Amino acid sequence: MSLLASYKHGQPVFMNALSLPVPSSPASGVQDAGRNLRRKTWDISPTFHCSIVGTCLTTTELRQVLAKLDDTDLKRASDHVLHSRGVRAAGQRDLAGKLLNKALDRRHDVMIKRFARLSNPDDIRQLWLECLERGEIAGAYWAVVSHPATDQPLLQEVFGEVHMLSHLVGSSNRLDIARLRTLQAELDTQAAKIRRQEERLGLAATERDSLLQQIEALEASLIQAQARVDATEEPRSRPDDAGETLQTETARADNERKRAMDAEAQLRETEKRLQLAERQNSEMERSIAFLEEMLAREASPEKEALSAEEQGIPVLYVGGRRNLFDRLRSLASRQGVTLLTHDGGIEDNNSLLPGLVSQAKAAFFPVDCISHAAAGMVKRLCQEHEKPFVPLRSASLSSFLASVADTSLLPERLTAV
């Protein structure tokens, strides 16, 4: 049953929400709590069964409970079908309902004991708000709705909170999925770049081998020419012919030396290009590794961005594209970094740069999306303040995140994350 089933004409309906009478006074709540008259799921109105099953038990736990009923269809049942069967079981005072109620009590035993010490609705409400603030929703929700001292206003309040949280969680999941798709697209782009780079590296290696073979051939030819020149110096019977031969062979040797020098120059240039390609390939591999790590962190609920009250390591980002600033701040926040931004003089005045540099631990700027004036000013200010500045190869998210993850640039990040 949907949570919206509890609403009628825009107003929440809680009439006859519980089949057991709600205590009329704190004293009666104390008496009921003393007799441990906690409500079972079948004592609670079906209005709440959907929220109880969906909030207080995971899909795995629910499947384990219903598996004890020897239902052969459970292995193929979808999560929605499984949830529907759990909601139906919650309203039945039979084996299924008892197993479900027992699983809820066992799963949230610690929280139930915390609430069991209370007998006043106001005290229960206060503990519920504390648990809500800490994110301990599932156990606290079951402990409150099953508590014998919970009155009607408190029941309305906790139900409303859980109902709204379900909307917030759904919205947050959609945003996370969108971010994951963006990161996956960037990861695919980087993988394609690496494939192209590897092809270029293969061609460069083949070219290098060819040049080495040419050099070896030239050296062999040079040795043969030098041997012929030496041989012409031995006979003295025909000095004119020997002189002409020596001149010819010397010129040929000089030509071979020049060709060898040209080949060596080409080889050095090829080696430089190969080293550059290898560095770019290493950077792309680090970017992909970091993006994969970010994908894992985005999918995990354990890694959260800094809250508004928390402060990470301040880092300045100058230039780039303004439409990426909010995303950069969000992703940097998950790395323990508070991002300060400046668009490089397009809309932000360059007179703001000295103050921003003084606040930041380091400065980053993409070389493909910043003016020469702004880049020169950032370098000069960082040198004056003895702070590192990092030129990024592009204004992409992956280029920035890979540099932020480099702990050699931000050693404080090791203790901040």
Side-chain angles (χ1 to χ4, degrees):
M1 179 180 293
S2 170
L3 292 175
L4 296 178
S6 62
Y7 286 78
K8 183 177 182 182
H9 304 299
Q11 298 296 327
V13 178
F14 291 93
M15 299 299 293
N16 299 322
L18 302 174
S19 58
L20 286 181
V22 176
S24 59
S25 66
S28 92
V30 173
Q31 183 179 4
D32 288 346
R35 295 200 304 264
N36 193 24
L37 296 178
R38 292 184 55 254
R39 300 183 179 94
K40 309 297 183 183
T41 54
W42 55 82
D43 296 326
I44 302 173
S45 171
T47 301
F48 300 93
H49 291 168
C50 179
S51 63
I52 291 172
V53 173
T55 303
C56 304
L57 286 177
T58 65
T59 303
T60 301
E61 291 168 341
L62 181 59
R63 192 179 297 275
Q64 291 173 350
V65 171
L66 298 180
K68 298 177 181 179
L69 301 176
D70 297 329
D71 191 337
T72 57
D73 295 335
L74 280 177
K75 293 183 179 179
R76 298 186 300 273
S78 65
D79 291 347
H80 179 263
V81 171
L82 197 70
H83 174 77
S84 300
R85 294 184 183 181
V87 172
R88 287 198 302 270
Q92 300 171 359
R93 191 170 185 174
D94 56 6
L95 178 60
K98 291 178 180 179
L99 288 174
L100 182 68
N101 199 86
K102 184 177 180 180
L104 287 166
D105 288 344
R106 183 173 58 253
R107 173 72 172 79
H108 305 295
D109 179 66
V110 174
M111 191 65 71
I112 289 171
K113 290 179 179 178
R114 289 176 60 186
F115 277 86
R117 295 192 294 266
L118 307 176
S119 59
N120 184 281
D122 292 336
D123 295 336
I124 297 174
R125 177 181 287 104
Q126 182 61 38
L127 183 54
W128 158 256
L129 294 175
E130 293 174 4
C131 294
L132 187 66
E133 183 69 22
R134 292 192 297 268
E136 300 173 347
I137 308 298
Y141 185 53
W142 173 240
V144 171
V145 298
S146 62
H147 199 288
T150 299
D151 58 10
Q152 200 73 12
L154 178 56
L155 191 62
Q156 295 180 26
E157 181 179 339
V158 297
F159 178 80
E161 290 285 356
V162 171
H163 176 74
M164 293 310 299
L165 282 173
S166 66
H167 292 303
L168 294 176
V169 170
S171 175
S172 175
N173 284 341
R174 286 192 296 273
L175 293 176
D176 289 340
I177 291 171
R179 284 196 295 269
L180 286 174
R181 287 176 177 172
T182 301
L183 290 172
Q184 185 62 53
E186 290 193 6
L187 183 59
D188 294 339
T189 302
Q190 292 291 348
K193 287 182 179 179
I194 284 183
R195 285 194 298 271
R196 293 193 296 271
Q197 194 69 30
E198 288 176 345
E199 292 174 358
R200 288 196 291 270
L201 286 173
L203 293 175
T206 303
E207 182 181 357
R208 179 176 179 273
D209 293 339
S210 177
L211 288 173
L212 288 174
Q213 292 175 359
Q214 292 179 25
I215 290 173
E216 291 175 357
L218 289 173
E219 288 175 346
S221 178
L222 182 60
I223 292 172
Q224 293 175 0
Q226 187 64 45
R228 286 194 296 269
V229 170
D230 294 339
T232 58
E233 292 178 352
E234 293 179 0
R236 300 294 180 181
S237 57
R238 301 178 61 187
D240 293 338
D241 293 344
E244 291 176 0
T245 303
L246 178 60
Q247 256 183 349
T248 302
E249 294 298 334
T250 301
R252 184 174 179 178
D254 291 340
N255 186 46
E256 296 292 343
R257 289 192 187 94
K258 184 177 181 303
R259 289 177 60 189
M261 292 174 63
D262 292 342
E264 289 178 355
Q266 291 180 7
L267 177 61
R268 287 193 295 270
E269 182 64 25
T270 300
E271 287 177 344
K272 289 180 181 179
R273 291 200 303 268
L274 182 60
Q275 290 174 359
L276 177 61
E278 288 174 347
R279 286 197 300 271
Q280 292 176 346
N281 189 46
S282 298
E283 291 177 1
M284 288 182 181
E285 287 178 349
R286 287 196 299 270
S287 297
I288 284 183
F290 185 75
L291 283 173
E292 290 174 345
E293 180 182 352
M294 285 296 299
L295 284 172
R297 291 183 177 179
E298 288 288 336
S300 173
E302 297 179 358
K303 182 67 176 176
E304 298 180 354
L306 296 172
S307 66
E309 294 77 12
E310 295 175 319
Q311 292 295 324
I313 300 172
V315 168
L316 175 61
Y317 184 85
V318 182
R321 296 186 287 271
R322 293 185 69 92
N323 61 342
L324 292 180
F325 282 0
D326 289 340
R327 193 176 298 171
L328 287 171
R329 289 193 191 94
S330 175
L331 295 175
S333 177
R334 294 177 180 271
Q335 302 303 310
V337 171
T338 298
L339 190 64
L340 311 174
T341 57
H342 189 286
D343 65 7
I346 298 175
E347 296 183 15
D348 299 332
N349 197 308
N350 282 347
S351 62
L352 301 174
L353 283 173
L356 292 172
V357 171
S358 66
Q359 299 176 47
K361 293 288 186 181
F364 297 80
F365 57 88
V367 295
D368 66 339
C369 196
I370 187 174
S371 66
H372 291 294
M377 189 173 182
V378 171
K379 293 179 181 178
R380 178 175 56 80
L381 290 170
C382 287
Q383 289 171 348
E384 291 176 357
H385 289 80
E386 297 182 349
K387 294 182 178 181
F389 60 89
V390 183
L392 306 176
R393 70 174 186 277
S394 70
S396 65
L397 294 175
S398 59
S399 179
F400 170 74
L401 292 174
S403 297
V404 168
D406 189 350
T407 56
S408 64
L409 296 173
L410 296 173
E412 300 93 333
R413 181 177 173 274
L414 290 172
T415 57
V417 176

